[in-house]
Amino acid sequence: MKGVLFDLDGVIADTSVYHFQAWRKLIKDHFNRELPDELEVQTKGVSRADSLTAILNYLDIKVSDEDFNQMTAEKNKVFRELLNGLTPNNILPGISNLISQFKQHDIKLALASASLNGPFILEKLQLLDTFDAIADPSKVAAGKPAPDIFNAAAEAINLAPQDCAGIEDSVAGITAINRSSALSVGVGDRDELSEAKLLFPDTSFLDYEKIEQAWEKIN
Ligand code: BG6
Ligand code: MG
């Protein structure tokens, strides 16, 4: 294993919940409707526009293109406000240690997040210099569950996806990693992330040796 492709929200930092909090506020303000918890699973890992499409489909609401764009911009404003107090304390348990282990073994690190706020969040977490590359989600043809962002992240560190593991907390993200043929490492619920090749219940369980061994096994 020569590289690791990291998801951001819900893997590196506890920012995943803020996304859905922002969607809940937006939908409440615009339509006075509530969003059920199960929609959070569907929007996790999915781009901003694809998330709003899923939410509007669920609510059975149609909006003009102009309103759609206005709503994604507004959601991002709420999300950015929620990120205001973000510090390195928001890095999830086990992540700093895992990153050190990878560095000790000369493993390259790339960010493979769907978020356009990736560089901003990494900066707030003081992790910007830790990553060898950040794949730009605005430059890939298709978002997760398509493999594009993981392929781009591997390419950005001059590796083939097969040389890498990807770490994800979302269903769409695990599918994307599997399609890219990197080793999929899931963080979360067994039923939800059943397609992950290796699974840890939460980030505090992430283990360099286990990831390396699982990668050896499939290669
Ligand atoms: C992913 C989140 O990391 O980024 C999704 O899991 C989010 O919930 C997506 O929609 C896009 O993020 P942003 O910051 O560009 O709106
Ligand atoms: Mg995530």
Side-chain angles (χ1 to χ4, degrees), residues 173-214:
I174 291 293
T175 305
I177 298 172
N178 287 339
R179 289 181 181 164
S180 81
S181 33
L183 167 79
S184 56
V185 178
V187 176
D189 188 70
R190 164 59 58 207
D191 295 329
E192 227 175 82
L193 304 180
S194 57
E195 301 296 320
K197 298 281 189 283
L198 177 66
L199 187 78
F200 297 96
D202 65 57
T203 56
S204 70
F205 289 88
L206 281 162
D207 181 308
Y208 164 73
E209 299 290 343
K210 285 186 183 158
I211 297 171
E212 173 69 43
Q213 280 161 19

Side-chain angles (χ1 to χ4, degrees), residues 72-111:
T72 53
E74 202 177 316
K75 182 268 176 178
N76 195 47
K77 198 163 165 268
V78 177
F79 179 64
R80 291 285 286 239
E81 277 162 16
L82 291 169
L83 293 183
N84 260 338
L86 206 69
T87 72
N89 289 333
N90 294 87
I91 298 173
L92 283 165
I95 291 296
S96 299
N97 181 48
L98 185 73
I99 287 175
S100 305
Q101 295 265 309
F102 288 145
K103 295 255 172 205
Q104 275 168 36
H105 290 88
D106 283 329
I107 287 169
K108 288 203 174 156
L109 305 180
L111 195 74

Side-chain angles (χ1 to χ4, degrees), residues 15-188:
T15 42
S16 184
V17 285
Y18 298 152
H19 280 288
F20 203 59
Q21 233 171 289
W23 285 125
R24 279 200 153 126
K25 179 172 174 2
L26 183 92
I27 296 303
K28 182 81 186 160
D29 290 353
H30 280 254
F31 309 113
N32 197 25
R33 299 271 301 269
E34 306 291 338
L35 298 178
D37 292 345
E38 62 258 32
L39 255 185
E40 185 170 2
V41 179
Q42 282 184 49
T43 54
K44 248 192 221 174
V46 172
S47 75
R48 199 180 305 165
D50 290 350
S51 295
L52 182 56
T53 301
I55 290 167
L56 293 175
N57 280 344
Y58 167 82
L59 295 171
D60 203 14
I61 291 172
K62 290 197 179 17
V63 298
S64 67
D65 288 354
E66 197 189 335
D67 286 352
F68 187 98
N69 292 338
Q70 155 67 27
M71 286 173 78
T72 53
E74 202 177 316
K75 182 268 176 178
N76 195 47
K77 198 163 165 268
V78 177
F79 179 64
R80 291 285 286 239
E81 277 162 16
L82 291 169
L83 293 183
N84 260 338
L86 206 69
T87 72
N89 289 333
N90 294 87
I91 298 173
L92 283 165
I95 291 296
S96 299
N97 181 48
L98 185 73
I99 287 175
S100 305
Q101 295 265 309
F102 288 145
K103 295 255 172 205
Q104 275 168 36
H105 290 88
D106 283 329
I107 287 169
K108 288 203 174 156
L109 305 180
L111 195 74
S113 171
S115 176
L116 299 166
N117 293 295
F120 172 76
I121 293 174
L122 284 188
E123 193 180 358
K124 287 232 163 207
L125 300 173
Q126 293 175 17
L127 285 178
L128 205 49
D129 298 337
T130 303
F131 280 80
D132 298 294
I134 299 175
D136 184 348
S138 71
K139 300 248 160 69
V140 299
K144 302 172 189 178
D148 305 29
I149 192 81
F150 286 97
N151 291 339
E155 200 185 322
I157 47 175
N158 298 313
L159 294 173
Q162 288 90 327
D163 296 327
C164 304
I167 310 181
E168 261 290 349
D169 69 320
S170 72
V171 180
I174 291 293
T175 305
I177 298 172
N178 287 339
R179 289 181 181 164
S180 81
S181 33
L183 167 79
S184 56
V185 178
V187 176

